[in-house]
Amino acid sequence: MSTQTPIAVGRYGPYGGRYVPETLMAALQELEEAYEVAKGDPEFTRELNDLLHNYAGRPTSLFYARRLSEQLGGARIYLKREDLLHTGAHKINNCIGQALLTRRMGKKRVIAETGAGQHGVATATVCALFGFQCVVYMGTEDMQRQELNVFRMRLLGAEVRGVDSGQRTLKDAINEAMRDWVTNVRDTHYLLGSVLGAHPYPMMVRDFHRVISIEARKQILEAEGRVPDMVIACVGGGSNAIGAFYEFIGEKSVQLVGVEAGGRGSKLGDHAARFQGGTPGVLQGTYSYLLQDEDGQVALTHSVSAGLDYPSIGPEHAALHDSGRAEYVSASDTEALDACTTLTHTEGIIPALESSHAVAECIKRAPKMSKSQIIIVNISGRGDKDMGILTRELKIAGGGNR
């Protein structure tokens, strides 16, 4: 299992690090050491790859979206179908990897946070598979928006603990998960769901999602004989995006585009676009771009998608932004809903509202590109979980004929 570490351990330029209470330092060091040993163990790699293939359903397909490409009239569009994975999203990649590490460390209890619910479902799934006790923290606002995933987690045997503090979304769920971890650090592993938090999580979660771009690069070379001109992915914490980008970072001809949640407006509190109003700061273990007010207080966020409304972003994305290697833009709630409808009507694929942000950017860019150019869009999850939101939002806008 080949990996690349940050330039300085735990750092991506100035970003990253390990900003946690002293009580968690030993647990983070234990996890880092277990991961370093596992990376060099052929048996770990064999079991990981076996589960990714036979349990999760990898490799996922790279689908040529012919009708969407023809409708937009520009670049040829390919969809990396992470939505076809077991549990319905890319999250299962990381959860399988961390479950194997949990077993190696001899721990029997797993905690996790979730926003859109997909990481919670994937965590509950691997805990059922490995026989771990599972507790998932979820903001009560997100529990209402993602009721189906709450039921799925409970059916899988997980305890879902609602969080009523703050904005009652992902940030608040992470706060509660970290409090639990501090209290139960000896027997509990915190299965963090994105490229966030203290080292080694950003590096480790990235490595477990690299399989997305490893497959996509091989698949596009087989289909087109060359690398794409552009890769587009939505960015909340940033796990699916860094997974989709990573093997192309060294390919300077490939433009990397991350799409944040533009929400309902540009005012602080109405969006979750960290690179359009955020400044560097520390949140929940790491130093990165952060939406905060003039007094340094973490700002409220908003997105129609429960998985993108987080006030910070993974530190490796911060470094990619500052270096100019990746471009970060945003799509509004309305643009994401329109994109979801467009892809559904043209290709019969209902993307998650998170993924719809990436589709929205593709819809903007493809017509301006030539028919000889190629875009890969990472469809990080399927839209089943969003039926309640889609029904309400599309009805408000006049039904499904947007």
Side-chain angles (χ1 to χ4, degrees), residues 217 220-221 224-230 248 251 253-254 374 376:
R217 190 178 189 282
I220 199 66
L221 288 173
E224 295 281 353
R226 66 179 183 87
V227 295
D229 297 280
M230 185 178 295
F248 296 107
E251 304 271 4
S253 65
V254 181
I374 300 165
I376 293 177

Side-chain angles (χ1 to χ4, degrees), residues 12 19 32 43 98 143 158 170-171 238 301 315 334 342 395:
Y12 305 84
Y19 299 87
E32 182 180 11
E43 179 57 25
Q98 287 200 51
M143 289 178 72
L170 181 60
K171 172 181 68 70
T301 56
T334 299
T342 297
K395 184 177 180 181

Side-chain angles (χ1 to χ4, degrees), residues 96-158:
I96 289 173
Q98 287 200 51
L100 290 170
L101 289 174
T102 302
R103 189 178 67 188
R104 275 180 166 248
M105 292 185 292
K107 299 190 177 183
K108 302 293 186 181
R109 182 175 182 266
V110 169
I111 59 172
E113 83 299 326
T114 196
Q118 288 302 115
H119 174 61
V121 169
T123 300
T125 297
V126 299
C127 285
L129 179 66
F130 283 80
F132 301 142
Q133 180 187 353
C134 181
V135 176
V136 178
Y137 289 90
M138 190 173 191
T140 51
E141 172 69 19
D142 288 338
M143 289 178 72
Q144 292 176 4
R145 292 197 285 180
Q146 302 291 324
E147 187 178 13
L148 175 61
N149 276 342
V150 174
F151 178 74
R152 293 171 72 193
M153 285 183 270
R154 287 174 173 161
L155 182 62
L156 286 158

Side-chain angles (χ1 to χ4, degrees), residues 74-220:
R76 298 196 300 284
I77 301 164
Y78 283 83
L79 308 177
K80 183 57 174 163
R81 298 291 309 278
E82 295 297 286
D83 59 309
L84 295 178
L85 286 170
H86 180 44
T87 72
H90 70 290
K91 295 293 188 180
I92 194 71
N93 302 323
N94 169 54
C95 287
I96 289 173
Q98 287 200 51
L100 290 170
L101 289 174
T102 302
R103 189 178 67 188
R104 275 180 166 248
M105 292 185 292
K107 299 190 177 183
K108 302 293 186 181
R109 182 175 182 266
V110 169
I111 59 172
E113 83 299 326
T114 196
Q118 288 302 115
H119 174 61
V121 169
T123 300
T125 297
V126 299
C127 285
L129 179 66
F130 283 80
F132 301 142
Q133 180 187 353
C134 181
V135 176
V136 178
Y137 289 90
M138 190 173 191
T140 51
E141 172 69 19
D142 288 338
M143 289 178 72
Q144 292 176 4
R145 292 197 285 180
Q146 302 291 324
E147 187 178 13
L148 175 61
N149 276 342
V150 174
F151 178 74
R152 293 171 72 193
M153 285 183 270
R154 287 174 173 161
L155 182 62
L156 286 158
E159 177 188 351
V160 182
R161 294 185 183 175
V163 179
D164 280 318
S165 59
Q167 202 174 356
R168 299 176 292 134
T169 56
L170 181 60
K171 172 181 68 70
D172 313 297
I174 294 176
N175 283 338
E176 289 304 315
M178 291 186 73
R179 290 188 185 102
D180 184 317
W181 198 23
V182 168
T183 305
N184 301 288
V185 69
R186 292 185 181 276
D187 67 349
T188 297
H189 172 63
Y190 179 15
L191 206 165
L192 185 61
S194 195
V195 286
L196 299 166
H199 179 73
Y201 282 106
M203 177 184 70
M204 182 177 68
V205 176
R206 176 203 72 196
D207 288 348
F208 287 138
H209 285 304
R210 282 181 66 186
V211 65
I212 300 171
S213 54
I214 289 171
E215 288 178 5
R217 190 178 189 282
K218 179 181 178 182
Q219 290 165 327
I220 199 66

Side-chain angles (χ1 to χ4, degrees), residues 29 48 52 131 158 196 202 226 252 257 275 277 309 318 328 371:
Q29 289 166 356
L48 175 62
L52 288 174
L196 299 166
R226 66 179 183 87
K252 299 304 182 184
V257 181
F275 293 123
D309 61 352
Y328 294 85
K371 292 184 178 181

